[in-house]
Amino acid sequence: MNLYDVSIPQFERALTNMKAFLEKGRAHVVAQGRPESELIEARLIEDMRPLAAQVQLASDSAKFVAVRVGGLANAPMEDNEASFAELAARIDATLALLAQAKREDFDGRDGDIVTLKAGGREIAFAARDYVLGFAMPNFFFHITMAYAILRQQGVPLGKMDYLAGAIPAPRENA
């Protein structure tokens, strides 16, 4: 296994699942006659970012692994999505970028240095530590927060909406 194996397929599955549960959120507000903006701007608590930002930050976490470790060219995204259609398009753009990532581009990159600029300082990670200790937990935090916001707003989601695709199909006995 390499860093591609532990990241890119996980990102693709979780982003696909998030797109599906966002669609359930859209259908929920439409059925209730509520404006999309109520859900797009919803937060778990006042000092947390809204649903749209959770999607944007999950997207960024995934794409930056492909860029910083896999060597893909960055595809800047403006963080201005204000509808479910725009959030779905962002997820699609992220998935398209991830589809360009090649397993071999991650080979031997575990010790490469990844430097992040945050809060006026630079943080240097070995690529392995960046992927496993920072990017993956950050990605799943934002996926989980998006799910939690939707649940809090009454969207009928269950655990399998979050885990879809993670459980292998039953094996047939020979």
Side-chain angles (χ1 to χ4, degrees):
M1 287 221 294
N2 73 12
L3 292 176
Y4 174 94
D5 298 322
V6 299
S7 63
I8 302 302
Q10 309 312 314
F11 294 147
E12 291 171 331
R13 181 182 52 80
L15 287 166
T16 299
N17 294 350
M18 183 168 62
K19 185 178 175 187
F21 57 71
L22 287 170
E23 174 53 27
K24 285 188 175 187
R26 187 204 61 75
H28 181 73
V29 294
V30 167
Q32 292 186 328
R34 295 167 50 195
E36 283 189 13
S37 61
E38 279 187 20
L39 200 47
I40 300 290
E41 297 167 9
R43 303 167 187 260
L44 281 181
I45 193 162
E46 189 175 307
D47 68 346
M48 288 185 77
R49 292 189 182 198
L51 178 63
Q54 301 302 332
V55 175
Q56 294 158 354
L57 291 163
S59 164
D60 286 347
S61 292
K63 80 171 184 161
F64 284 130
V65 167
V67 168
R68 292 174 176 146
V69 181
L72 292 181
N74 188 18
M77 298 177 186
E78 294 187 30
D79 295 342
N80 59 2
E81 295 83 8
S83 70
F84 284 105
E86 291 171 345
L87 290 172
R90 172 142 184 167
I91 292 169
D92 288 342
T94 305
L95 289 169
L97 180 99
L98 295 176
Q100 297 173 38
K102 303 287 183 258
R103 186 180 193 282
E104 57 269 15
D105 294 336
F106 288 73
D107 285 341
R109 303 289 309 269
D110 293 42
D112 289 4
I113 300 301
V114 173
T115 304
L116 305 182
K117 294 179 182 178
R121 66 184 189 128
E122 290 188 355
I123 306 166
F125 295 92
R128 182 177 192 275
D129 296 334
Y130 166 69
V131 171
L132 297 174
F134 181 82
M136 295 293 291
N138 190 55
F139 172 79
F140 281 108
F141 172 84
H142 293 296
I143 295 282
T144 303
M145 290 305 102
Y147 175 90
I149 290 168
L150 293 168
R151 285 294 312 266
Q152 180 218 34
Q153 293 293 311
V155 177
L157 295 172
K159 190 173 186 178
M160 292 314 297
D161 292 298
Y162 185 90
L163 291 176
I167 299 172
R171 293 183 186 173
E172 292 184 30
N173 291 333

